[in-house]
Amino acid sequence: MIDVKCFAIVAEIIGKDSFELDLEVLESPTIASLWTYLERVYPALEGKKKYIRFSKNLSFVPLDECLHKGDEIGIIPPVAGG
Amino acid sequence: MFRVSKEKIDTAALRAMVSRDEAGAIVIFEGVVRNHSGDLEVSFLEYEAYEEMALKKLKEVAIEIVDGRDIHVAIHHRFGRLEIGDIAVTIAVSSPHRKDAFHACSGIIDRLKEEVPIWKKEVGVDGSEWIGWGP
């Protein structure tokens, strides 16, 4: 299982701010596959990848980053602090 | 000192944290909730934070900007509901000379806005909107 954290608009679309996911449901254990999965389950996310960054265990990671059991993944929409 | 919390920001306390005998300059930036966004009237802002990561990124940004120089930094970013005039973030920087302090403070707020996972939702009379999300 991985722990997926969702924030702001993404949490609103998905309807929760975190959930656990079995890596087995993904085509491959990567960030890109996780996003493909999320787009399929939550069509409102379709086409929004260009706005999203991803974190793994509190660091930004690229789309081809590999996922492992126990990872904490953040779906990070455009930040707007300050 | 780095902090991401719902508590009210005490700028004087942050200033005190960077104040020291070696510092000839203290620069303080306060990010404040304003009453408009473009042409839209804002009633209040709702900030959300990925607390653990935001704290980590604040520290990383400060360390990179300081880059081993004699610059001290304290940052508190607030989240939750903030009203017009509330302080959303304070960055206090001290250094022996003013140039380093101005430069570091400005660099930190620029990087914070790019990299620190904090979001704001503008709530106005005509509804609400998360900033940065396309149509």
Side-chain angles (χ1 to χ4, degrees), chain A residues 12 53 59 72 77 80 82, chain B residues 47 50 56 77 114 118 121:
Chain A
E12 278 187 9
R53 279 185 285 178
S59 295
E72 177 176 310
Chain B
Y47 279 81
Y50 187 176
K56 180 173 175 259
H77 203 303
E114 294 284 317
I118 292 174
K121 185 190 221 175

Side-chain angles (χ1 to χ4, degrees), chain B:
Chain B
M1 198 281 305
F2 301 92
R3 196 163 168 207
V4 176
S5 80
K6 285 193 169 178
E7 286 144 59
K8 202 170 173 215
I9 294 175
D10 181 351
T11 295
L14 285 142
R15 185 196 183 281
M17 278 171 209
V18 298
S19 174
R20 56 200 164 109
D21 291 347
E22 297 77 15
I26 296 178
V27 170
I28 291 170
F29 171 79
E30 286 182 343
V32 179
V33 178
R34 64 169 173 255
N35 68 355
H36 67 278
S37 172
D39 295 335
L40 297 175
E41 200 179 317
V42 172
S43 305
F44 64 90
L45 291 185
E46 193 74 48
Y47 279 81
E48 188 177 324
Y50 187 176
E51 279 183 70
E52 260 187 290
M53 185 171 168
L55 194 58
K56 180 173 175 259
K57 294 302 292 181
L58 279 184
K59 289 178 190 167
E60 284 174 10
V61 164
I63 286 167
E64 279 176 40
I65 297 270
V66 168
D67 194 24
R69 289 171 294 170
D70 185 13
I71 300 172
H72 288 198
V73 178
I75 307 173
H76 182 183
H77 203 303
R78 191 177 173 192
F79 65 97
R81 176 174 166 152
L82 273 73
E83 310 294 335
I84 309 299
D86 279 349
I87 304 167
V89 62
T90 292
I91 301 169
V93 178
S94 74
S95 63
H97 303 285
R98 70 182 183 282
K99 213 168 183 179
D100 273 348
F102 272 123
H103 189 255
C105 193
S106 157
I108 289 169
I109 185 63
D110 286 350
R111 291 275 302 274
L112 182 156
K113 283 174 170 286
E114 294 284 317
E115 294 172 41
V116 176
I118 292 174
W119 301 269
K120 60 176 163 250
K121 185 190 221 175
E122 289 173 351
V123 183
V125 280
D126 299 320
S128 66
E129 188 186 347
W130 288 102
I131 300 312
W133 190 250

Side-chain angles (χ1 to χ4, degrees), chain A residues 1-22:
Chain A
M1 299 291 248
I2 55 171
D3 189 12
V4 182
K5 306 268 189 202
C6 310
F7 301 94
I9 183 74
V10 174
E12 278 187 9
I13 289 171
I14 289 181
K16 48 196 166 190
D17 52 20
S18 74
F19 61 92
E20 291 202 321
L21 189 72
D22 194 334

